[in-house]
Amino acid sequence: MASAKPAPVCLFEAMVNAQDDAMFTVDGNDAVCSWNHAAQRLFGYAASEALGMPLAELLAEQPTTPDGGGSGDQALSAQRVLRDRHGMLLSVLVTRTPIGGPAPGTLASLITVHSLQSTPLQGADAPRQRAMNVYESLVEGSDDAIVTKTLAGIVTSWNPGAQRLFGFSAAEMIGESITKIIPLDRLHEEEMILQRIAAGERVEHFETVRTHKSGSLVHVSVTISPLRDAGGRVVGASKIARDIGERILAAQTIWRQANQDTLTNLPNRSAFRRQLEMEVARAERESGHFALLYADLDHFKMVNDSLGHDAGDALLVAVAKRLRAALRGSDVLARLGGDEFTVLLPTLDDPLALHTVSSKLHDALAEPFAHASHPIHVSASIGMAMYPRDGTSADELLRHADLAMYEAKNEGRNRTIVYEASMDQRARGRLLLAGDLRRAAQQGELYLAYQPVVRVSDGEALKFEALMRWRHPAFGTVHPARFIPLAEETGLILELGDWVFRRAAQQALRWCELHGAPIQVSFNVSPLQLTADVDHTAHWGAHVRDIGLDPSRLVVEVTETVMLDDSPRIAQRLRELRRQGFQVAVDDFGTGVSNLAALSRIEVDYLKIDQSLVRKLPDDPRKLAICEAIVAMAHRLGIQVIAEGIETDEELERIRDIRCDFAQGYLYAQPQDEARATQWLLEQRERRALSRGDA
Ligand code: C2E
Ligand code: MG
Ligand code: MG
């Protein structure tokens, strides 16, 4: 049977190569003729380079005892200093055993070299030493912490970078356990690392935290490599740690910016959407339910405008806190922006429980909020939508809760309204209307209705208020309460407002010419007309001069909330209009947070007491007292007062009692188109002439 013979030589070679000690043979001339792996590791020469090399190459100093010749056949051992390929000095134990040379009669020696140290000796001016010096200064000068430790975790070196990063000096760390800088909950991590290092693996760029001497945590990115002794055995680890605190901070900031509302620290719109989508998915899987609330603060803009943005911001923060405290931990409260908040109530669908939650939210806001000058009263309008009844997607639920909130506003604010399908139709109606409104102006569907304003003392009507009307081809007469907000939302009010001004001016001119009496026409101006970047009122003065109208025949009506806005732009535009000769009236006075101080900033000619104050005036002594105070104050400021919404003789009597100057209301006439208003004017002149004649 011709089978391969066992190869004793190969086996022998493998054994030799497996040795930890360097082993090689030299011939009679002391030239290397074999070279094991350990020799390669220790001296740095590959076998191919070492073969034929004179033994003297390896000697750092010339031997003082003749142990190189190999006289006799005794093994000789001696401690020697040898030199590796880089010139590095090695302290070793050398054993030289004479053996038979490859050819009969020749001499050879087996040389075994046992390393006596784990780190190489320092050698003077060898290239490697120069390299070492460079490394050392690199380590010393590095911004990174560079540390070595034994496999037991005992620190063996500690550079200045490590001192900067961890606070401990080299003296405090060398010889100590590395666990000094490892937080308790990370100790397992260190164990795992040491195991991997012992197995010769490198651990690269893992991010972790360490403890600073001060006790604070330090975020670091760490790379750990095994440290080997001259024989290639892993004896420890070197670790490079880099401070990533700033990067972590930046990452956290980016996360927060993307997910958190910076003012209140609540989840922001996009974070809330994600939560909502997750909740929809969960409810879908589990056939579950949940509810979504959409809350909008009432009259928040007024607070912001009158008290300033800082106060507005502080109020939002306080509101967020109260809402949060009124909810359970599992409920998600978010701020979508502005004064809009949303709440996700997981697993809730019982109407009674939902009612309780919404009452809690209203109650949470009931107590006034503290502010430097006076307490601020806040309420919220809340819309509610339920999954799956009112929608099965995040978008649909949000839209429907928003629509319900809009209804809550319309119904008088400070309440919660649950979504109903009819709201969707109404919203679509509004959208259609907004589209129609754009065309309405051009197609002549808009007109002004005029309502007389009567002097209380003698019943004479020399003033009219112009009120916009829309004769819609399909819906009939649409009232301003429905379309003015749309016009304001879409910005169309700027054009419409200008149109109203021209119409009112024309009408005033016509009536003045017709009667030879100074008839005055007032018209309403939206806040946007006074705050828009482009000043649409700038040319009004020139226009009335062009058509030959005395500007004092026109009165600009601005709402009380406009007066509260302390933006210099509004004050400046109103002042300019007055300077041009127009008069100014404050409309709906007494409905908002009456800011009498505003009257000292902006001069006005008339205050119009809102209908809500005039209503039931005869039965309500408190309302009467308020109206009386308003009239008295206005008169002291040289301002005349108009009471709106006078419907009965009793109401007229009361406002006469408190010396109100003018009255406007259904008692005299409804707002009516130009022809009827002119007719009314003629008739009342005739009546007056008659009654004067009778007297
Ligand atoms: P406003 O300026 O306070 O106008 C008075 C409102 O009260 C008018 O409603 C008028 O029809 C109504 N009114 C008058 N007398 C009585 C009464 O005795 N009883 C009752 N219950 N109501 C009475 P209207 O015309 O529906 O206008 C509503 C609001 O729409 C106006 O309130 C004004 O703020 C706004 N508006 C009207 N026309 C314009 C306009 O051309 N431009 C702007 N920006 N707003 C307008
Ligand atoms: Mg008005
Ligand atoms: Mg009014």
Side-chain angles (χ1 to χ4, degrees):
M1 256 194 352
S3 67
K5 273 211 281 176
V9 177
C10 290
L11 189 65
F12 184 66
E13 200 175 291
M15 275 170 60
V16 170
N17 275 334
Q19 294 300 308
D20 283 335
D21 288 342
M23 295 172 85
F24 58 95
T25 54
V26 289
D27 61 18
N29 298 323
D30 269 353
V32 173
C33 48
S34 74
W35 192 251
N36 80 342
H37 288 178
Q40 184 172 334
R41 282 198 298 273
L42 184 62
F43 293 102
Y45 294 108
S48 57
E49 296 171 289
L51 292 183
M53 188 169 76
L55 179 60
E57 282 272 280
L58 299 175
L59 299 179
E61 77 279 78
Q62 289 310 306
T64 45
T65 49
D67 62 338
S71 56
D73 49 14
Q74 281 268 289
L76 277 175
S77 286
Q79 202 172 324
R80 290 250 165 271
V81 176
L82 300 187
R83 185 202 293 274
D84 74 5
R85 164 185 200 127
H86 307 290
M88 205 65 199
L89 303 185
L90 310 165
S91 169
V92 292
L93 187 67
V94 180
T95 305
R96 184 177 186 132
T97 314
I99 50 170
T106 55
L107 277 177
S109 302
L110 169 68
I111 297 182
T112 313
V113 181
H114 181 74
S115 174
L116 292 176
Q117 66 199 41
S118 57
T119 45
L121 284 178
Q122 307 273 304
D125 70 345
R128 179 153 177 192
Q129 179 58 34
R130 283 200 294 277
M132 283 303 286
N133 287 339
V134 172
Y135 289 142
E136 206 172 285
S137 55
L138 275 179
V139 167
E140 289 299 296
S142 170
D143 278 341
D144 294 337
I146 302 177
V147 170
T148 58
K149 60 191 176 188
T150 66
L151 283 179
I154 303 300
V155 174
T156 48
S157 74
W158 188 262
N159 78 335
Q163 174 163 358
R164 273 194 301 276
L165 187 55
F166 301 115
F168 292 105
S169 68
E172 286 170 309
M173 286 307 291
I174 290 177
E176 295 281 321
S177 169
I178 192 77
T179 55
K180 231 169 138 170
I181 60 158
I182 299 176
L184 279 181
D185 60 345
R186 300 280 177 160
L187 284 176
H188 65 282
E189 195 178 273
E190 177 69 6
E191 254 169 54
M192 263 162 40
I193 290 170
L194 285 178
Q195 272 170 21
R196 289 184 57 181
I197 291 297
E201 289 175 44
R202 192 173 137 95
V203 181
E204 253 178 289
H205 298 309
F206 78 96
E207 290 179 5
T208 184
V209 283
R210 292 291 177 253
T211 319
H212 187 266
K213 186 179 180 180
S214 67
S216 62
L217 292 180
V218 191
H219 288 272
V220 287
S221 159
V222 180
T223 294
I224 302 184
S225 320
L227 263 187
R228 295 169 193 278
D229 68 3
R233 270 182 302 259
V234 176
V235 291
S238 73
K239 161 166 132 178
I240 301 180
R242 173 161 296 180
D243 185 357
I244 53 166
E246 269 178 35
R247 209 192 72 210
I248 294 277
L249 214 66
Q252 283 171 348
T253 311
I254 288 167
W255 185 90
R256 265 202 302 274
Q257 275 169 354
N259 293 283
Q260 229 176 34
D261 164 42
T262 45
L263 182 63
T264 60
N265 289 339
L266 292 176
N268 65 8
R269 182 184 289 270
S270 64
F272 184 78
R273 261 200 77 93
R274 273 199 301 281
Q275 290 259 11
L276 185 59
E277 274 159 10
M278 268 157 56
E279 189 63 19
V280 166
R282 191 194 59 77
E284 216 168 64
R285 268 198 318 275
E286 301 169 8
S287 311
H289 308 264
F290 67 88
L292 170 67
L293 303 184
Y294 202 118
D296 186 291
L297 302 186
D298 300 327
H299 301 300
F300 175 74
K301 187 177 180 304
M302 208 153 76
V303 174
N304 225 15
D305 291 348
S306 59
L307 301 179
H309 288 266
D310 287 346
D313 283 356
L315 183 65
L316 286 172
V317 171
V319 164
K321 266 201 196 119
R322 287 210 202 158
L323 294 180
R324 189 59 267 179
L327 293 164
R328 289 202 213 140
S330 55
D331 303 337
V332 183
L333 171 69
R335 178 171 171 242
L336 295 198
D339 58 346
E340 291 180 359
F341 295 85
T342 43
V343 185
L344 177 63
L345 301 168
T347 67
L348 217 61
D349 76 325
D350 169 22
L352 212 66
L354 286 173
H355 177 75
T356 313
V357 175
S358 86
S359 316
K360 269 195 200 158
L361 295 179
H362 288 297
D363 290 349
L365 302 180
E367 190 82 4
F369 288 81
H371 177 256
S373 57
H374 56 83
I376 307 175
H377 293 267
V378 172
S379 63
S381 300
I382 303 180
M384 189 188 296
M386 281 170 266
Y387 177 95
R389 201 200 69 175
D390 303 330
T392 50
S393 73
D395 270 336
E396 201 178 6
L397 286 164
L398 271 170
R399 199 164 53 79
H400 287 169
D402 186 15
L403 278 181
M405 185 276 288
Y406 188 89
E407 294 290 323
K409 292 261 185 217
N410 271 348
E411 304 251 312
R413 306 168 203 271
N414 191 22
R415 67 196 63 219
T416 295
I417 295 222
V418 181
Y419 171 77
E420 283 166 26
S422 62
M423 295 174 188
D424 224 5
Q425 284 148 22
R426 277 203 290 279
R428 258 189 274 276
R430 277 198 300 276
L431 214 64
L432 284 176
L433 215 56
D436 288 356
L437 187 55
R438 292 194 173 278
R439 289 188 301 268
Q442 291 128 32
Q443 292 176 356
E445 294 170 17
L446 298 178
Y447 69 98
L448 291 182
Y450 300 92
Q451 186 178 35
V453 177
V454 179
R455 189 154 61 204
V456 174
S457 60
D458 59 2
E460 185 164 27
L462 292 174
K463 296 182 195 299
F464 283 86
E465 177 173 8
L467 295 155
M468 219 191 313
R469 295 288 179 268
W470 178 7
R471 210 182 287 112
H472 192 281
F475 307 137
T477 304
V478 185
H479 281 260
R482 285 198 66 200
F483 70 86
I484 294 286
L486 284 178
E488 285 175 339
E489 274 168 36
T490 54
L492 200 61
I493 194 71
L494 295 175
E495 278 170 53
L496 294 186
D498 217 39
W499 177 85
V500 168
F501 156 74
R502 283 160 192 274
R503 267 303 156 95
Q506 222 160 53
Q507 193 58 53
L509 189 67
R510 223 173 280 160
W511 278 334
C512 287
E513 283 169 355
L514 189 67
H515 296 278
I519 305 274
Q520 207 178 29
V521 174
S522 69
F523 60 98
N524 297 280
V525 166
S526 275
L528 196 62
Q529 291 174 265
L530 297 171
T531 54
D533 289 336
V534 178
D535 183 2
H536 287 248
T537 66
H539 66 276
W540 287 3
H543 180 78
V544 289
R545 276 194 302 278
D546 283 353
I547 64 169
L549 177 72
D550 173 357
S552 70
R553 301 278 76 85
L554 289 178
V555 184
V556 176
E557 291 196 15
V558 294
T559 57
E560 188 187 35
T561 51
V562 167
M563 298 294 291
L564 286 181
D565 196 318
D566 51 16
S567 85
R569 191 178 269 181
I570 289 182
Q572 184 227 315
R573 284 189 192 168
L574 284 176
R575 231 174 267 134
E576 179 55 24
L577 285 171
R578 265 191 115 246
R579 205 184 61 76
Q580 301 267 340
F582 297 100
Q583 295 204 314
V584 173
V586 180
D587 207 352
D588 305 341
F589 194 81
T591 49
V593 189
S594 297
N595 182 357
L596 300 176
L599 294 176
S600 64
R601 273 191 292 115
I602 306 170
E603 282 184 38
V604 305
D605 303 279
Y606 303 99
L607 282 190
K608 299 187 78 171
I609 303 181
D610 191 66
Q611 320 187 355
S612 59
L613 271 177
V614 172
R615 189 83 40 252
K616 306 244 165 59
L617 200 55
D619 315 323
D620 193 335
R622 289 188 52 204
K623 277 187 180 172
L624 193 66
I626 294 173
C627 289
E628 192 169 8
I630 291 176
V631 174
M633 175 214 56
H635 285 173
R636 300 227 358 216
L637 293 170
I639 300 170
Q640 294 192 295
V641 182
I642 302 167
E644 284 188 293
I646 299 295
E647 293 183 354
T648 67
D649 288 319
E650 289 78 37
E651 285 164 359
L652 178 63
E653 279 317 302
R654 288 296 90 76
I655 64 150
R656 194 197 304 279
D657 291 347
I658 61 171
R659 302 162 56 80
C660 190
D661 306 280
F662 297 93
Q664 177 182 352
Y666 297 167
L667 178 64
Y668 300 104
Q670 300 252 349
Q672 44 204 334
D673 62 24
E674 182 198 336
R676 290 212 188 93
T678 307
Q679 180 70 24
W680 185 93
L681 190 59
L682 286 172
E683 283 169 6
Q684 80 110 32
R685 301 213 93 192
E686 275 168 24
R687 266 200 310 276
R688 283 179 57 79
L690 262 171
S691 63
R692 265 201 302 273
D694 289 348

